[in-house]
Amino acid sequence: MISSSIVLDKLTSSFQTQPYPGDLNLVYDNTGYHLECVEIQQTFAGKHWSELSQETLIRENSALAFLTPEAFRFYLPAYLSNVVREFDESDALPEISVYYLTLPVEADSLINLSCIQQQPNEIKLEVSQFLIEELSRSNQKVHQFMERMSGFNQQQGQAIRYYLEYLKAEKNDYFFSKEPEIAIERYWFIFPL
């Protein structure tokens, strides 16, 4: 059984040396015209992830969508730690965090395309073309996921896996479709505990 204290220890120890991405590398749009990015940049600038209050994290619950990959990796432990510490008061943060830790279903098209490549030529061309068109529309989600997640080291990946395993074991009734388990099965299984 994974306790909340173990998860918090893993998150703290594995992310304590994560470098701050820099004030101008927090959000993907620094033009000043994207209001959400401006607000997030102003709120997070110069702050270590451990300094963000629960109130700030709940108010900025959509921030993970607007952060650069480096800032995503830097601030993610703030969200995860808050969920573990204050689950009942964490508003939508459990769902949001698990959503961003789940490999998009669009990645399945890659698997399907690989399987089709092994089929006879007559059906391969039509279905392959369809899947390639689908991939071109959805590839951005998969690319964004991989760009964010590939920057985690082994220890950080394991800490995230501990987080998801904790939610799966201790908070499973909260999730309608076993989302933490799905996140593990789709990607985080690669980090053994």
Side-chain angles (χ1 to χ4, degrees):
M1 181 148 110
I2 298 172
S3 69
S4 60
S5 61
I6 290 173
V7 177
L8 291 171
D9 288 346
K10 295 281 185 189
L11 289 169
T12 301
S13 65
S14 64
F15 284 95
Q16 66 187 355
T17 60
Q18 182 76 16
Y20 178 69
D23 291 352
L24 296 177
N25 193 27
L26 295 180
V27 293
Y28 67 77
D29 185 337
N30 284 302
T31 63
Y33 297 113
H34 193 293
L35 298 179
E36 191 85 29
C37 287
V38 169
E39 181 181 335
I40 293 164
Q41 200 279 335
Q42 290 173 348
T43 301
F44 287 18
K47 292 187 178 83
H48 189 269
W49 65 264
S50 61
E51 298 173 31
L52 297 178
S53 69
Q54 179 178 23
E55 178 183 315
T56 299
L57 295 170
I58 290 172
R59 185 180 68 246
E60 299 297 344
N61 66 19
S62 66
L64 293 173
F66 300 97
L67 296 174
T68 63
E70 298 80 12
F72 180 91
R73 290 188 292 272
F74 183 78
Y75 287 109
L76 180 67
Y79 288 88
L80 306 187
S81 297
N82 183 268
V83 169
V84 173
R85 269 194 316 275
E86 305 289 339
F87 188 86
D88 292 333
E89 291 81 36
S90 62
D91 198 50
L93 297 182
E95 297 99 329
I96 291 167
S97 64
V98 172
Y99 172 80
Y100 284 105
L101 293 173
T102 304
L103 179 65
V105 295
E106 287 83 356
D108 295 345
S109 296
L110 292 171
I111 296 166
N112 293 340
L113 184 58
S114 174
C115 291
I116 288 171
Q117 295 299 335
Q118 299 169 10
Q119 298 297 317
N121 285 339
E122 56 270 3
I123 61 169
K124 187 189 314 186
L125 184 60
E126 290 177 34
V127 179
S128 291
Q129 186 61 36
F130 170 75
L131 286 175
I132 289 169
E133 289 171 14
E134 286 296 306
L135 273 176
S136 67
R137 286 192 283 273
S138 62
N139 201 28
Q140 184 178 0
K141 286 182 182 179
V142 176
H143 175 74
Q144 185 178 40
F145 177 87
M146 294 309 297
E147 187 176 31
R148 289 173 170 178
M149 303 311 152
S150 65
F152 290 122
N153 64 35
Q154 184 71 19
Q155 187 181 16
Q156 292 166 336
Q158 287 175 334
I160 294 167
R161 168 91 185 264
Y162 269 96
Y163 169 77
L164 293 167
E165 293 285 355
Y166 169 77
L167 292 180
K168 176 182 152 188
E170 300 298 321
K171 307 296 182 184
N172 199 37
D173 294 344
Y174 178 82
F175 295 93
F176 295 115
S177 301
K178 300 182 180 187
E179 288 88 344
E181 183 175 348
I182 292 168
I184 294 165
E185 290 172 357
R186 292 189 64 74
Y187 182 77
W188 297 100
F189 69 91
I190 66 174
F191 297 99
L193 300 182

